[in-house]
Amino acid sequence: ALSEEEKTTLRAGLITNFNEPVNQIATQISVLIAKVARVDCPRQWPELIPTLLESVKVQDDLRQHRALLTFYHVTKTLASKRLAADRKLFYDLASGIYSFACSLWNHHTDTFLQQACAGDEAAATNSLERTLLSLKVLRKLTVHGFVEPHWNVEVMGFLHAVFERLKQFLECSRSIRAENVCRDRLEKTIILFTKVLLDFLDQHPFSFTSLIQRSLEFAVSYVFTGAGEGIVFERFIVQCMNLIKMIVKNYAYKPSKNIEDSSPETLEAHKIKTAFFTYPTLMEICRRLVTHYFLLTKEELTMWEEDPESFTVEETGGDSWKYSLRPCTEVLFIDIFHEYNQTLTPVLLEMVRGLQGSTNVEDTSAILIKDAVYNAVGLAAYELFDSVDFDQWFKNQLLAELQVSHNRYKPIRRRVIWLIGQWISVKFKSDLRPMLYEAIRNLLQDQDLVVNDFEFRTDQFLPYLESMFTLLFQLLQEVTQCDTKMHVLHVLSCVIERVNMQIQPYVGCLVQYLPLLWKQSEEHNMLRCAILTTLIHLVQGLGADSKNLYPFLLPVIQLSTDVSQPPHVYLLEDGLELW
């Protein structure tokens, strides 16, 4: 280990001056200082924070920026320590420097706004960088530096100031062109403001109570009224929706069934929420979500035409709700509808009633509205259980819509089959399923179906088995993307598993194709997992006849269970089951 004398020399050298001209190197030095601070500050390095505070005041632009960059990395690192003694030290640090951090942020923010208004692009860009760094410092101090921040006047003052600053920055963005260098940093700063609110709500829900009203007014105004037109951008809308969602869903704001068991803080927060979410407000949010944010965009429709597989993968992709607008709007709709279903159910049913019968194929906007409303009914399926007679709706309208073959009606055909998939496990009579299988077969024949998982009764499905299996196999051969092949294989596996031995007459083509697909998927272990699952069900369905597959199966099992081969991490469990 280094001697204490050598450590002292190194620490002193690191903060002698902040004049590194190369950005990447300056960042590495700042990170290095922060890592040393994590171990030594404040006990062995008491002079670090005072030195940084003095250095961020200097007039030299380069030194001021580098000191501010280091100040941020040190604050970020110290805020991440979780032991009780370390938390106490950070609380003491936050209390001691919070006033200074606030004044520093206000100074750089005011300077930027003045320079931006004056049209001084170069100076404004420099000031914006300092505004961003000082705001990052304040975010860490505000969220992690206080046990009960609502008792601190400066903390709450800063949080209330965030809303005013956000409005100023959003208005400022009107005058800054999209291609301007400053525009990207400005949007990052706006997003950072919203992160301050989201993080504070997450860490201190009761301290956030006094901000609930203002947060909801701000977010709803910019996202669901005309106030945001021309200035909001997608990531900002996502952040505002996340803020609304976190307030709506927050368990700290939900009273117990026995009101007497609820804390006064919970009751106060619930009262504020209830006062805000009036019938007109909820109705407007619901209508705007469905008829504005749920609509397929021109870009999405073009993507669907040009590359339907990518469109499908994009639409159903992973845990993306926090960062992508479409899944974010759908999650917000689900949460608000669940929380206020008695108020919103009549609103949604009224929208459905306005869409009776098939829609004119020439009226693109009407088709997109219907697609959006059907999407909402599918997302709210469990909430609408007692309010929608889905069987009658299927027989009287949805089935007929699946039979409209015009190319422009494709969004409705796709949405209807998805909608049925949402409702089939909620409320759908089994004797209607043969009609559904017929419709699915027709859609597969037209290559018009985004394949959904579907439940079925084997005896009802057998008359359609040969044609369905053949069409699914053809689809498996035709699609090119790994995700789509996995999805089709999953449906094929479900069919094989359910019909078991009765699959034997129809699997010859699949048995011949799987070795080729296995070879082609050498770089795609998740696809190989799907192939293994299909093989497991095939072996069970073929019984003793599966011996004919041994020349293919045995090398597959060998690779999957060989722990010296990297793919075993993905394939071992399924390989053992196949064995």
Side-chain angles (χ1 to χ4, degrees):
L2 298 175
S3 67
E4 287 304 318
E5 292 77 11
E6 194 169 357
K7 285 182 185 178
T8 303
T9 304
L10 287 169
R11 285 193 295 259
L14 283 171
I15 55 172
T16 300
N17 53 55
F18 296 96
N19 56 5
E20 171 54 53
V22 181
N23 280 328
Q24 294 94 322
I25 297 174
T27 300
Q28 293 306 313
I29 293 171
S30 297
V31 171
L32 171 60
I33 291 170
K35 287 189 173 187
V36 176
R38 185 179 179 88
V39 179
D40 290 350
C41 184
R43 292 188 178 89
Q44 284 81 36
W45 205 1
E47 64 273 18
L48 172 62
I49 300 298
T51 301
L52 290 173
L53 297 184
E54 285 304 312
S55 299
V56 296
K57 296 177 188 175
V58 298
Q59 295 303 308
D60 182 272
D61 278 356
L62 179 66
R63 286 186 62 202
Q64 185 188 68
H65 178 270
R66 299 316 190 218
L68 194 50
L69 180 66
T70 306
F71 188 28
Y72 160 61
H73 280 287
V74 169
T75 308
K76 178 183 175 183
T77 301
L78 295 179
S80 69
K81 298 179 80 172
R82 287 290 171 263
L83 294 178
D86 295 323
R87 304 296 315 132
K88 176 68 170 63
L89 287 172
F90 190 70
Y91 296 150
D92 293 341
L93 171 67
S95 297
I97 67 173
Y98 198 83
S99 292
F100 174 77
C102 279
S103 61
L104 188 70
W105 168 68
N106 273 315
H107 166 71
H108 289 307
T109 303
D110 288 335
T111 304
F112 161 72
L113 290 169
Q114 289 164 9
Q115 291 166 340
C117 288
D120 189 345
E121 186 180 322
T125 302
N126 283 335
S127 295
L128 184 57
E129 183 66 28
R130 287 158 178 72
T131 301
L132 189 60
L133 285 171
S134 54
L135 182 57
K136 285 181 175 181
V137 171
L138 265 179
R139 176 189 175 196
K140 294 299 176 185
L141 294 176
T142 303
V143 174
H144 301 290
F146 301 88
V147 181
E148 293 181 311
H150 55 282
W151 295 118
N152 188 298
V153 176
E154 284 182 310
V155 170
M156 299 313 292
F158 161 67
L159 289 167
H160 281 286
V162 163
F163 295 101
E164 293 306 318
R165 291 302 197 185
L166 260 172
K167 288 178 183 176
Q168 291 173 337
F169 274 64
L170 286 164
E171 284 301 320
C172 181
S173 69
R174 286 185 193 273
S175 59
I176 297 179
R177 299 184 309 276
E179 65 274 11
N180 194 308
V181 179
C182 195
R183 175 77 191 202
D184 180 56
R185 304 304 284 174
L186 181 62
E187 290 190 359
K188 282 187 177 177
T189 309
I190 290 169
I191 293 303
L192 187 60
F193 279 122
T194 63
K195 285 181 177 179
V196 171
L197 296 172
L198 286 164
D199 288 356
F200 191 77
L201 170 57
D202 182 56
Q203 294 292 319
H204 307 282
F206 289 130
S207 295
F208 195 87
T209 301
S210 64
L211 299 165
I212 291 175
Q213 177 79 18
R214 199 165 183 188
S215 298
L216 290 172
E217 287 173 351
F218 177 87
V220 169
S221 169
Y222 276 100
V223 176
F224 295 111
T225 74
E229 285 181 18
I231 54 175
V232 297
F233 50 97
E234 184 171 307
R235 186 74 195 280
F236 174 71
I237 295 171
V238 168
Q239 292 292 92
C240 285
M241 287 186 175
N242 285 338
L243 185 59
I244 298 168
K245 184 185 74 69
M246 282 181 69
I247 293 172
V248 168
K249 277 190 75 176
N250 206 303
Y251 287 109
Y253 303 156
K254 292 185 178 179
S256 305
K257 288 184 179 179
N258 184 359
I259 295 294
E260 293 172 0
D261 296 335
S262 304
S263 68
E265 294 86 356
T266 296
L267 293 175
E268 175 64 20
H270 180 70
K271 181 181 172 184
I272 296 169
K273 273 174 56 181
T274 305
F276 179 82
F277 286 111
T278 59
Y279 175 76
T281 301
L282 286 168
M283 184 175 70
E284 185 57 31
I285 289 174
C286 179
R287 287 188 178 280
R288 187 96 166 162
L289 278 171
V290 175
T291 61
H292 179 74
Y293 290 107
F294 278 15
L295 295 182
L296 288 168
T297 63
K298 286 182 181 177
E299 292 78 12
E300 287 171 323
L301 290 170
T302 302
M303 185 182 187
W304 189 1
E305 285 297 325
E306 295 176 354
D307 189 356
E309 283 189 65
S310 294
F311 168 74
T312 307
V313 170
E314 183 99 359
E315 231 210 0
T316 57
D319 181 21
S320 59
W321 66 263
K322 284 186 181 176
Y323 312 108
S324 182
L325 184 55
R326 179 166 297 283
C328 182
T329 58
E330 291 178 353
V331 170
L332 177 61
F333 174 82
I334 291 168
D335 290 335
I336 286 186
F337 205 94
H338 175 75
E339 189 76 11
Y340 302 102
N341 63 80
Q342 289 184 325
T343 304
L344 292 176
T345 294
V347 176
L348 186 53
L349 293 180
E350 182 191 334
M351 295 169 79
V352 173
R353 280 192 290 272
L355 299 170
Q356 296 299 320
S358 61
T359 304
N360 183 355
V361 294
E362 303 299 328
D363 191 344
T364 304
S365 62
I367 285 174
L368 294 180
I369 288 285
K370 179 175 273 194
D371 171 77
V373 173
Y374 283 7
N375 187 16
V377 176
L379 294 171
Y382 286 97
E383 308 296 337
L384 295 171
F385 180 88
D386 293 320
S387 305
V388 173
D389 186 343
F390 194 79
D391 295 333
Q392 285 299 316
W393 195 27
F394 172 74
K395 286 189 291 187
N396 297 340
Q397 176 158 347
L398 298 180
L399 193 57
E401 295 203 278
L402 287 175
Q403 293 162 355
V404 179
S405 58
H406 197 287
N407 187 55
R408 288 188 182 174
Y409 218 68
K410 185 164 62 173
I412 303 300
R413 292 195 296 273
R414 166 184 164 274
R415 181 60 68 190
V416 167
I417 204 70
W418 171 87
L419 174 63
I420 296 166
Q422 294 294 105
W423 274 85
I424 202 162
S425 59
V426 179
K427 196 179 190 180
F428 195 79
K429 283 183 181 173
S430 61
D431 58 6
L432 294 175
R433 295 192 177 199
M435 298 163 71
L436 174 59
Y437 302 148
E438 189 78 40
I440 291 173
R441 181 172 65 182
N442 293 337
L443 289 170
L444 277 169
Q445 284 172 337
D446 296 338
Q447 296 186 335
D448 197 26
L449 177 65
V450 177
V451 179
N452 282 310
D453 306 337
F454 56 94
E455 300 178 4
F456 57 85
R457 276 174 48 181
T458 305
D459 57 330
Q460 292 177 318
F461 186 74
L462 284 176
Y464 305 92
L465 176 59
E466 181 179 5
S467 57
M468 286 282 210
F469 196 85
T470 303
L471 290 165
L472 282 167
F473 173 66
Q474 289 172 1
L475 185 62
L476 179 65
Q477 289 178 296
E478 288 164 9
V479 297
T480 56
Q481 289 210 7
C482 192
D483 284 321
T484 320
K485 283 188 180 291
M486 284 167 59
H487 201 160
V488 179
L489 273 172
H490 175 64
V491 177
L492 280 167
S493 296
C494 290
V495 172
I496 296 168
E497 182 183 23
R498 294 297 289 274
V499 302
N500 207 353
M501 305 292 280
Q502 295 168 96
I503 198 66
Q504 291 183 5
Y506 315 116
V507 292
C509 54
L510 182 63
V511 165
Q512 291 175 359
Y513 176 65
L514 284 178
L516 174 63
L517 184 59
W518 180 266
K519 188 175 181 181
Q520 291 173 342
S521 60
E522 192 171 354
E523 302 299 318
H524 304 283
N525 288 312
M526 297 308 292
L527 178 53
R528 284 193 159 183
C529 286
I531 296 170
L532 278 169
T533 304
T534 307
L535 289 172
I536 290 165
H537 295 312
L538 263 177
V539 169
Q540 290 167 343
L542 291 172
D545 289 346
S546 63
K547 282 192 289 190
N548 299 329
L549 289 174
Y550 282 9
F552 169 50
L553 292 178
L554 297 181
V556 166
I557 292 171
Q558 184 177 22
L559 174 68
S560 304
T561 57
D562 184 351
V563 293
S564 66
Q565 297 289 333
H568 88 273
V569 175
Y570 300 91
L571 308 179
L572 180 60
E573 190 173 341
D574 291 321
L576 287 170
E577 189 174 348
L578 177 60
W579 193 358

